[in-house]
Amino acid sequence: MAKTLARKKSAAKKGGAKATPKRSAAKSATSKAAKAGGKYVYLFGKKTDGNGSMKPLLGGKGANLAEMCRIGLPVPPGFTISTEVCTYYYANKRTYPSTLRGQMEAGIASIEQQTGKTFGDLKNPLLVSVRSGARDSMPGMMDTILNLGLNDQTVEALSVKTNNARFAWDCYRRFVQMYGDVVLGVQKRPDEDHEPFETVIEKLKHERHHGDVEDTKLSVADLKELVARFKKLVKERAGKQFPDSPWDQLLGAVGAVFGSWMNDRAIVYRRKYNIPTEWGTAVNVQAMVYGNTGDTSGSGVAFTRNPANGVKEFYGEFLINAQGEDVVAGVRTPEPVAELKKEMPKAFAELERIRQTLEKHFKDVQDFEFTIEDGVVYMLQTRNGKRTAMAALKFSMDMFKEKLIDWKTAVMRNPADQLEQLLAPVFDAAEVEKAKAIATGLPAGPGAASGQIYLNAERAVVAADKGEKVLLVRVETSPEDLRGMIAAEGILTARGGVSSHAALVARQMGKVCVCGAAAIEVDYQSRTVKVDGKTYKEGDWMSIDGTVGKVYAGQVKTAPSEIVAGLINGDETAKKTEKFKHFQQLMKWCSDASRMSVRTNADTPEQTANAVAFGAVGIGLTRTEHMFFEGDRIDAMREMILAETLEERKAALAKLLPYQREDFAGIFRALKGYPATIRFLDPPLHEFLPHTQQQQQELAKKIGVGAARIHQRVEQLHEFNPMLGFRGCRLGIGYPEISAMQARAVFEAAAEVQKEGIKVRPEIMIPLVGFKKELDLQIEVVHQAAREVQAEKKVKLNYLVGTMIEIPRGALTADEIAQSAEFFSFGTNDLTQTGLGMSRDDSGSFLPNYQELEIVKKNPFATIDASGVGQLVDIAVKKGRASRPNIKLGICGEHGGDPASIHFFEKVGLDYVSCSPYRVPVARLAAAQAALGAKTGE
Ligand code: ADP
Ligand code: MG
Ligand code: MG
């Protein structure tokens, strides 16, 4: 069985331009495919096989092309080769299913029939585009080829048929350029700053027009010369002739699309966005429509609403007399779509109608691509528009008001991992007054960024690795710059509009971005930026405001966002902003939708108050040891550690007690009645001791102990593996007086605050428990302290004692432990370390490689390893509830603020998650979405 797309002998013999097989041959091929049972090709057009829900099979682009055909929008006919072929291709040494070729021939035949044109014909040639399309759109990752089917004969046919030689040759030179780049691999070398084809164009422009004229100014003779030079370039660099036969071209292009699924850029992108490699891409083959026939044609990209700030306005841009690639590539700076109203009123009206239809049908903001051929509008793509967090929030609130969506959908429309963008600082208004604006561009990614400028991605990454704040400045960006864009605080480009690569990526990554700031002159050679009469070198500071599109010289100070200003600082003006009100509405809906609640990890009254302002309903983790480092408390702590007798230790602890009591009282007050989980001393003692000789001498003087003794004690406490050493409850079991002091501090503070009329609900948490007996010993110490304080202060205190589940033995014996523990809190940091036998602090040397090799899909210290460590959580939940049905279950590890992990915790049925104060809104949104998703099965 032939498993390549090699043409069958009978078809091959005909050769040359007329490559299309007879219809009957195509038909018999189709019926064979049907018998073989594998459908690989899905038509769209007059007859449409697919629909919008088939994204896994047809890719996002293919599924939505089908959907647009179904709702009667004008789409050029074509077909989609399914993602199953991509899977097959990689599973079978880059070969194809045997029936694919025949199905493709039938597909081409169907397009021919609908357009009245014939592939490779010498009178009326059909040209097609070959377009990739994964399930999720991957901007700039996969490459499209336009005008496929042209060769030295068909170009003449097209020229005669359209009576437009300039147009025909413009198509041809574009085709050779794109095909040479994408399929034949004629691309920029590492030492080149420009694409080689662009260099050829520029050279010709300078030779023949003495300057940098627009592409539209090139004559037929220029274009013919370009085609010849391009082919020569291909021959030189690729070492082979440019293929003439349309079918060879088509098969080569299809192969290139599948091949590009594994190119570096695609792999980097998938890793960043956690897109599984198995998904694969589809390929779309579609009849060309021409935006480059003259001044009544053009191409554009538009959004049904503004994706940067969320405003309900027709937003986008177009280029007259251009093919779509020009708009996306940012080669020429396009005009705003509103201009079309004047220039082509009929087409504009049609686009307005389409805009309405799209939103009514998809019920979400659409990002669509269109081409106007001689005044007639064609739709080439639509998808849910990528948006900034700010736009997502406004879209969701506005569409709810317009009754396009319900409140639950509105909640789902706000991406949880982007929400932090709304809390990011903006430029301080007073500082902006003083700053010097040196250029203006398009506000493509809202927010404020100050950084040292770098002009290429590599150097930007190096600088960011050194800890510099980086602003990536480019003429325009391309997918090769992705790493630099990820590393940078913000992105500034001189060319390109709102649909340029820079703008696209900024929207998706939430990067601050100003693009198309035409006044800046970027010189890659000298690594300088000239603007406003001044020259800036790499390493100099600039600032950009991506909300309004301004560029400033130097560093500009930032101020908190309206939401932070309103919630944390109580700023009344901020509270009146739409952004603030929308945010509060969203958070209220989150509370309505959630099953789990959200607590915070906080060690100070201030952190606690901030978290409560963000909507936390308690503390999930107070790390008491953090309190020991402040001021001269550390001295008392060290005295305690150095003590040689129980009496000495108790004396030192007595000095620590008032500090702890004061801290706890402050936290209880800030909590206003919400519960506080307080973890007893956890880290190994040597962490508190001075390690250099000088520090040891200083301490010796301070506390009146010999330096030699301090040195000796430090040596004594040294451990080979402190993470698994004398720490956690092992400390409290070794020195019960430490736990007794901590318990007393908690209860004395509770008594004090309770007397002020504030409800206090301490939940004392014993860390690192693996044996029930460990917990029992500590519980007794706690109860004893409680009894004493209640008697002394004549109060009744409500408190719980529970444990952290953070080592596998604790999880596996959770039923026994739950007989004593009134709550569990999963310490997923240690549970991951001990579950994987992998030290978080040492994982930097091998984990990146593990992710590269996909041994682990995500960093397990950021997103919970659901199938491994998650099982330990699941077991502990089940066993814990079995022996204590009303046991309270929470999680306080780093994972408590990670949306993907939160979805997992919803699934296993925890009562709450806990995270750092500024993560609280993210966790609330993720918890709400997890609950809503669980209901709808998403
Ligand atoms: P991307 O995924 O990078 O957006 P597309 O496949 O959408 O790539 O193609 C890029 C551009 O090429 C589109 O915006 C569209 O304008 C143009 N294009 C694609 N197919 C056709 C076609 N059949 N006719 C005219 N233009 C096309
Ligand atoms: Mg597109
Ligand atoms: Mg721990």
Side-chain angles (χ1 to χ4, degrees), residues 162 164 166-168 170-171 174 216 290-299 318-323 332 343-344 371-375:
T162 57
N164 191 341
R166 200 202 162 275
F167 154 73
D170 186 48
C171 289
R174 286 167 187 274
T216 46
Y290 305 104
N292 56 334
T293 62
D295 286 345
T296 53
S297 299
S299 286
F318 76 103
L319 278 172
I320 294 273
N321 196 10
Q323 288 198 331
R332 283 156 63 193
E343 295 173 33
M344 293 185 215
T371 283
I372 303 173
E373 179 180 326
D374 297 326

Side-chain angles (χ1 to χ4, degrees), residues 723-802:
M723 190 188 84
L724 302 176
F726 192 29
R727 58 166 289 219
C729 66
R730 297 161 198 172
L731 292 170
I733 288 166
Y735 303 115
E737 55 279 13
I738 299 179
S739 302
M741 181 280 287
Q742 293 205 288
R744 178 166 272 275
V746 170
F747 294 128
E748 287 184 1
E752 180 183 324
V753 175
Q754 197 163 295
K755 280 184 183 156
E756 295 164 13
I758 299 169
K759 214 166 139 194
V760 183
R761 295 158 64 194
E763 298 178 350
I764 290 172
M765 178 156 77
I766 309 301
L768 217 71
V769 166
F771 298 85
K772 174 172 177 290
K773 184 74 187 279
E774 289 175 312
L775 180 60
D776 288 341
L777 287 171
Q778 290 289 287
I779 287 180
E780 197 28 54
V781 175
V782 174
H783 285 332
Q784 177 59 28
R787 280 191 293 269
E788 288 168 15
V789 174
Q790 294 186 98
E792 286 161 25
K793 310 278 174 189
K794 301 191 174 50
V795 286
K796 168 93 187 63
L797 298 172
N798 271 317
Y799 67 97
L800 302 178
V801 191

